[in-house]
Amino acid sequence: LLHMWKVLAVLVAAVSVLFATGTVEPFLEVVVGFVSGEDAIDDDASVELPSEDIEVQGSAFDHGVMLAEKHRFKQSFHVFERCSKESRCLNALGESYLTGAGVARNLTLGLELINQAAELGDPDAQYNMGILHSSLFEDNATFVQNEALSVLYLYAASTSGHTGALMSMGYRHMEGYGVPKSCSTAALNYVEVAKQVT
């Protein structure tokens, strides 16, 4: 069960990388790194990191994402550490720890960081926590499947317009999975996703 937990955690983080970057290469790199038992491949070429006195935290996050898109996971990890007071950066750090992208894998720390970001209101982190709570088991019972928390986090992310959360809540309402079965509520979630696509 613990191995299945690790696989799911890596897949959630890898899908987040896919959504964030819009390209398949970083996603595949994370999955291949996990399957081979190695940390994500990282180009050690020197990259100029933004100065520590960045006024707009979003620019540091964007810089970290750009580095990750270029497979420079160690450098992106350091950028995310610098802006870790921002929820998006906390979530990115957590994903880095879950996948081993630029840092040694640490599932416990990864989950803690993503949870902190979710509590601060980051929609991506809320989505991650929703998916993890709906699927994960750990032998020592510190992190177990909890459908109520899953629905809570997914609903919170969906109210922010998070595409994955809207799709998840639409499916849950269509099938009555953890929420009352309601085709009209499911349709409302799917309509919001369709508006984002067009």
Side-chain angles (χ1 to χ4, degrees):
L1 286 177
L2 184 59
H3 182 68
M4 288 175 47
W5 179 85
K6 290 178 182 177
V7 169
L8 183 60
V10 168
L11 286 176
V12 166
V15 168
S16 295
V17 168
L18 178 63
F19 279 129
T21 63
T23 60
V24 177
E25 290 83 13
F27 168 80
L28 293 175
E29 193 166 307
V30 168
V31 173
V32 168
F34 178 78
V35 170
S36 69
E38 301 172 1
D39 287 344
I41 301 168
D42 198 348
D43 183 356
D44 286 327
S46 67
V47 172
E48 182 180 324
L49 297 177
S51 66
E52 292 192 36
D53 60 338
I54 293 177
E55 292 180 23
V56 180
Q57 291 293 331
S59 64
F61 174 78
D62 293 340
H63 185 71
V65 169
M66 184 223 28
L67 290 169
E69 289 172 351
K70 294 181 178 184
H71 311 281
R72 303 227 170 138
F73 297 111
K74 287 179 185 174
Q75 290 87 1
S76 69
F77 176 80
H78 292 300
V79 171
F80 294 139
E81 277 186 318
R82 286 189 181 171
C83 66
S84 64
K85 291 182 181 179
E86 183 184 351
S87 62
R88 296 184 306 167
C89 293
L90 273 177
N91 184 54
L93 282 173
E95 290 174 356
S96 296
Y97 278 112
L98 284 180
T99 61
V103 66
R105 271 192 200 100
N106 184 332
L107 298 176
T108 303
L109 182 55
L111 292 171
E112 287 174 12
L113 291 169
I114 292 171
N115 187 55
Q116 287 176 23
E119 296 298 326
L120 290 171
D122 182 71
D124 289 327
Q126 290 169 337
Y127 172 74
N128 288 342
M129 291 302 293
I131 296 300
L132 293 170
H133 273 295
S134 71
S135 308
L136 295 185
F137 296 92
E138 189 174 312
D139 292 337
N140 65 9
T142 58
F143 196 88
V144 296
Q145 184 176 16
N146 185 327
E147 284 303 316
L149 281 175
S150 175
V151 169
L152 178 71
Y153 281 115
L154 289 171
Y155 177 75
S158 71
T159 61
S160 297
H162 189 281
T163 305
L166 286 165
M167 293 294 292
S168 295
M169 290 304 293
Y171 176 78
R172 284 175 172 273
H173 280 289
M174 185 175 66
E175 298 296 325
Y177 184 59
V179 296
K181 188 171 185 173
S182 170
C183 289
S184 60
T185 304
L188 290 173
N189 282 282
Y190 292 138
V191 165
E192 288 302 314
V193 173
K195 288 179 185 176
Q196 293 176 9
V197 174
T198 56

